[in-house]
Amino acid sequence: MKYYISQFIFSAKDADAATLQTGRDLLMALAGDAGFESFEETPEGVNGYIRQDLYDKAALDAALAAFPLPGIDIIYKVEAAPDEDWNAAWEEAGFEPIVIQDQCIIHDTKHQPEGTPYPIDITIDARQAFGTGTHETTRMVVAQLLRHVGKDAHMLDCGCGTGVLAIVAAKKGAKRVVAYDIDEWSVENTRHNAAINHVDDNVEVLHGDVHVLSHVNGLFDVVAANINRNVIVADLPSIKEAMAHDATLILSGFFVEDGFTVSEKAGELGLSLVDAISENNWCCLVFK
């Protein structure tokens, strides 16, 4: 999948560090509304990544025109992201193990856990894909999967990234797990991680967007989607069609202020909100 990288540079007079951080948070929320999928903070502002086929300059300009923080001006330039592993430096460093609810530990191949074993031990070898457990949204969704995935459940992971959610479900006892992602790197990374976690026998990984569900047989008891808000809203009708009676839907990847938009769309489809969690302004919603 080809990506653009946009360098958003702040021009600010008399802005302190707290104001600049608020500006970064607001910029990421607005650019996310315009289709940007991931961000990294820089000393000058923020770098954002968006699929080339989704880039809409008019939508981005309209979003930035609504920037609500006086005293900060934003300029940006967009260029094609190198067709290489632009996450390589982070991957080389790895990440420290993350423990979720004293039930699950997520670690990479460089940082093996020490001490008492956890019931669910997951190794993630991240390769240009999102989902290691270090991000708030991943941790919140994993916590909900630990709660809602039962033995012999059928689970669907929409936009699987590294495959961590699918792997959690499989290790929690799910009988069948289907995962899909539009990004080729993510599909291969999920397959790789499923194999090194010894759950590749019951984790099926598909390449494509939500339309791949038209070729998937059966319904799912638990569905998780940790992706861009706009993608979630657009895909919800198809996701709803894949849900079994009384199924649980876990959604994240968006800010608290976007929760109403997601809930409103879910309500139109007959889904009921049963739980809402937030961490550092990131939101996770659970529907039945």
Side-chain angles (χ1 to χ4, degrees), residues 46-273:
V46 172
N47 288 343
Y49 295 87
I50 187 171
R51 283 169 35 199
Q52 291 186 10
D53 60 320
L54 295 181
Y55 177 65
D56 183 336
K57 185 179 187 302
L60 178 59
D61 289 341
L64 295 181
F67 191 75
L69 198 61
I72 296 181
D73 296 320
I74 301 171
I75 60 174
Y76 71 91
K77 60 179 180 179
V78 177
E79 58 187 10
D83 190 17
E84 59 187 26
D85 192 346
W86 39 263
N87 220 26
W90 180 87
E91 293 166 14
E92 180 61 28
F95 62 94
E96 293 296 326
I98 297 106
V99 176
I100 300 174
Q101 294 188 342
D102 289 327
Q103 298 182 52
C104 173
I105 186 166
I106 302 171
H107 57 89
D108 63 13
T109 55
K110 301 176 180 65
H111 300 85
Q112 296 298 319
E114 299 178 357
T116 304
Y118 289 86
I120 297 177
D121 185 316
I122 295 175
T123 302
I124 293 296
D125 188 8
R127 298 176 180 176
Q128 268 202 11
F130 177 83
T132 58
T134 60
H135 196 275
E136 293 90 338
T137 59
T138 308
R139 293 198 299 269
M140 288 189 291
V141 176
V142 169
Q144 292 302 314
L145 289 173
L146 294 174
R147 176 183 176 187
H148 291 287
V149 174
K151 183 176 175 57
D152 295 331
H154 290 222
M155 185 268 184
L156 174 66
D157 181 0
C158 309
C160 51
T162 63
V164 63
L165 303 182
I167 294 166
V168 167
K171 289 206 167 188
K172 188 68 170 47
K175 182 178 181 179
R176 181 195 184 203
V177 179
V178 174
Y180 69 85
D181 202 294
I182 197 167
D183 187 274
E184 300 97 322
W185 280 89
S186 295
V187 170
E188 292 306 315
N189 197 199
T190 295
R191 289 173 177 159
H192 168 73
N193 286 324
I196 65 176
N197 283 278
H198 311 293
V199 295
D200 45 322
D201 284 348
N202 68 330
V203 175
E204 179 184 6
V205 190
L206 306 174
H207 178 215
D209 60 16
V210 72
H211 294 100
V212 302
L213 295 179
S214 63
H215 304 292
V216 174
N217 294 323
L219 300 176
F220 297 90
D221 307 299
V222 180
V223 179
N226 184 18
I227 46 182
N228 176 272
R229 184 206 72 174
N230 293 344
V231 175
I232 287 176
V233 171
D235 290 356
L236 266 178
S238 297
I239 291 173
K240 165 71 182 322
E241 291 300 313
M243 295 172 63
H245 176 69
D246 202 34
T248 299
L249 174 63
I250 305 165
L251 301 177
S252 194
F254 45 87
F255 293 105
V256 169
E257 49 266 34
D258 295 321
F260 176 79
T261 300
V262 175
S263 295
E264 186 176 43
K265 182 63 176 181
E268 292 173 0
L269 297 169
L271 299 171
S272 299
L273 181 67

